[in-house]
Amino acid sequence: MEVALLALAGSGTALATGIGALPVSRLGEHAARIRPALWGLTVGLMTVASIVGLLLPALDEGSTAAVALGIVTGVAFLLISRRLLEKRDVHVGQLGGAGVRRSVLVFAVLLVHSLPEGFAIGTAFASETEGLGLFVILAIALQNVPEGTSVAIPMEAAGFRPHQQFWAAVLTSAPQPVGALVAYGLVQEIESLLPFSFAFAAGAMLCLVVVELAPEAFKRSTLGLSLAGVAAGAALMLALAALLGV
């Protein structure tokens, strides 16, 4: 029974990511006008999520050396992935080009970092601390909503359809129920891996912001919209962190 509830909770957090994609798909032709703000929003969301939701917990849980190794590995993963994608003409259906490559990068990084979040769900669920499992599940589900927005924004710019944006966002969190079930059965072993996993994800996401998302946000003349988006995204994530006690 507990395993079934855990699998259901992990699936629910994955679906929450899809919810974050819905507002982007509803913008339609208006997306082009506010695209600088949307890119800025992505920068703000991912930067604060990386630092507050991943890097700081990693430092709390592990040694500085383990965290540093995770960050370096995450940055290397992103740069190598980017380099490999640059050498290929990436196509999804009839779509191709830099926008699709950027969408694939965002998808890949969020897919990788969702696994340690699944580990956190399973570890908390296995804990004897009252209410901890529910708290972690709700926290990750809420944080997944803006992550879904981060997935949908570059996909919208690249020309993907709304249902593709929604399911791509959900799929980035598909490892969460798997990771939750694994951690639930191996909680003692998994606990030592969490700092590295979180730092890996933080390094990859921050590198993605620097090399891909920030240049796209600020390459146009509408600097005010871009900065407003960054501020809104950062404020949203900081408010969530304060609300959830992160």
Side-chain angles (χ1 to χ4, degrees):
M1 182 63 177
E2 287 188 348
V3 172
L5 287 174
L6 181 59
L8 184 62
S11 300
T13 59
L15 287 173
T17 316
I19 293 173
L22 295 178
V24 178
S25 66
R26 302 292 181 186
L27 289 173
E29 60 183 15
H30 299 293
R33 300 178 192 172
I34 61 171
R35 191 162 290 159
L38 294 178
W39 283 114
L41 179 69
T42 308
V43 170
L45 289 173
M46 294 188 72
T47 300
V48 176
S50 299
I51 295 172
V52 176
L54 295 170
L55 189 55
L56 294 182
L59 289 169
D60 288 339
E61 293 287 337
S63 65
T64 303
V67 173
L69 179 61
I71 292 173
V72 170
T73 307
V75 170
F77 163 80
L78 191 284
L79 293 178
I80 292 172
S81 299
R82 184 173 184 263
R83 183 63 176 168
L84 291 174
L85 287 169
E86 283 178 341
K87 293 182 178 179
R88 300 178 180 222
D89 188 12
V90 181
H91 286 268
V92 179
Q94 297 181 342
L95 300 176
V100 172
R101 176 176 56 81
R102 189 175 296 110
S103 299
V104 171
L105 277 173
V106 174
F107 178 89
V109 171
L110 292 179
L111 180 72
V112 170
H113 109 258
S114 71
L115 187 60
E117 289 184 344
F119 291 162
I121 292 173
T123 302
F125 199 85
S127 172
E128 296 181 356
T129 303
E130 185 177 357
L132 180 61
L134 179 60
F135 173 80
V136 172
I137 290 168
L138 290 175
I140 291 177
L142 287 172
Q143 290 181 350
N144 279 354
V145 174
E147 288 177 5
T149 305
S150 300
V151 174
I153 287 173
M155 292 186 71
E156 173 72 20
F160 286 91
R161 295 181 178 180
H163 73 275
Q164 293 174 314
Q165 297 170 29
F166 174 83
W167 288 113
V170 172
L171 284 174
T172 61
S173 295
Q176 286 180 3
V178 177
L181 291 171
V182 171
Y184 182 71
L186 303 172
V187 63
Q188 297 301 322
E189 289 79 6
I190 293 296
E191 185 177 359
S192 63
L193 298 177
L194 281 176
F196 175 86
S197 297
F198 279 122
F200 173 94
M205 289 177 67
L206 289 172
C207 185
L208 176 65
V209 168
V210 172
V211 303
E212 284 286 341
L213 302 180
E216 184 67 23
F218 293 103
K219 75 179 183 181
R220 297 176 175 84
S221 59
T222 50
L223 181 62
L225 278 177
S226 300
L227 289 174
V230 173
L236 175 60
M237 288 306 296
L238 289 172
L240 284 175
L243 179 65
L244 299 171
V246 175

